[in-house]
Amino acid sequence: MENLSTARVEWRISDRPEPYETAVQAMESRVEAIRDGAAAELVWLLEHPPLYTAGTSADPRDLLLPDRFPVHRTGRGGQYTYHGPGQRVAYVMLDLKRRGEDVRQFVTDLEEWVIRSLAQFNVRGERREGRVGIWVDRGGGREDKIAAIGVRVRRWVTFHGIAVNVEPDLSHFEGIVPCGIGAEKLGVTSLVDLGLPVTMTDLDNALMATFGEVFG
């Protein structure tokens, strides 16, 4: 595991898949420490083993294959999401007391961060009214989701965050109706699925390069 730091935000990069429950426990502890002024803000970049998470708005009918992978109930907003190898998860632990106490703006900033990071690879990521996450127009009316967003805020400290598809097994998404996807011509994609030979390190570098542009 690699740790980097700036004047205000620490970056942590895990070099092996992190069990989901272990990661959540680590986030919980760090959020408390940030709130108490005992630790710096943190962005944690990692992968998980294959699993599904159910957000606070998850509909059990959207879990299509309940026995395929472990299912974890989580306090983040949103519905069902897949995590697994080849997907970069960024857990973002920031102190909104210092950043304006505006949760809506924080979510907008996460979206903008993903959009700017994808632009580093000439991918146009877009928001869609009424749909969660960042989308790519594939032409012919088809749109695919390339990044998921789900956050939780406790006493103005954020956790959970974003998940960007670099090269996951896209068939693993078939066990759920992912957040924001349920209509014809809506699907899931990844950077490699778009024909781009992007590595996890490439995306990490893009995320670190654009973070300050959005979050200061």
Side-chain angles (χ1 to χ4, degrees):
M1 183 178 296
E2 182 180 3
N3 284 69
L4 306 171
S5 63
T6 64
R8 298 182 63 182
V9 179
E10 177 187 346
W11 289 77
R12 180 180 300 166
I13 304 175
S14 293
D15 55 9
R16 65 190 65 183
E18 296 279 354
Y20 185 77
E21 291 178 342
T22 301
V24 170
Q25 291 172 1
M27 273 196 292
E28 296 267 359
S29 296
R30 186 60 173 246
V31 164
E32 294 298 317
I34 293 170
R35 188 197 68 195
D36 294 340
E41 296 174 309
L42 174 67
V43 179
W44 186 8
L45 305 178
L46 63 133
E47 295 172 84
H48 286 304
L51 58 92
Y52 298 130
T53 65
T56 55
S57 301
D59 184 337
R61 293 173 295 181
D62 290 341
L63 182 60
L64 306 178
L65 299 173
D67 298 324
R68 186 168 190 181
F69 298 124
V71 180
H72 297 269
R73 301 286 166 180
T74 178
R76 64 157 175 80
Q79 302 168 46
Y80 282 102
T81 299
Y82 167 76
H83 293 312
Q87 182 191 71
R88 177 52 90 211
V89 174
Y91 288 138
V92 183
M93 287 155 269
L94 300 181
D95 185 357
L96 295 189
K97 280 279 189 182
R98 297 165 50 188
R99 295 174 177 271
E101 297 187 0
D102 189 334
V103 176
R104 186 182 298 272
Q105 183 61 50
F106 172 66
V107 173
T108 297
D109 288 344
L110 287 177
E111 294 171 339
E112 183 65 22
W113 181 34
V114 174
I115 288 169
R116 294 191 185 204
S117 297
L118 293 174
Q120 301 288 304
F121 309 105
N122 296 315
V123 173
R124 183 175 179 177
E126 299 177 316
R127 302 173 176 90
R128 286 292 181 265
E129 186 70 29
R131 283 193 247 139
V132 180
I134 299 302
W135 299 77
V136 176
D137 187 343
R138 304 299 298 273
R142 177 184 169 188
E143 296 181 340
D144 287 348
K145 189 174 187 176
I146 195 168
I149 297 174
V151 302
R152 188 176 181 184
V153 180
R154 178 181 297 154
R155 297 187 184 180
W156 295 111
V157 180
T158 69
F159 53 127
H160 297 281
I162 66 172
V164 183
N165 296 331
V166 178
E167 192 179 8
D169 184 338
L170 295 179
S171 72
H172 289 180
F173 287 88
E174 295 171 3
I176 57 172
V177 177
C179 293
I181 298 175
E184 187 178 358
K185 292 193 174 182
L186 298 181
V188 181
T189 192
S190 69
L191 287 164
V192 171
D193 182 56
L194 293 173
L196 301 169
V198 177
T199 67
M200 198 68 72
T201 298
D202 293 333
L203 179 61
D204 290 347
N205 289 336
L207 289 168
M208 289 187 282
T210 57
F211 182 86
E213 298 174 5
V214 179
F215 293 98

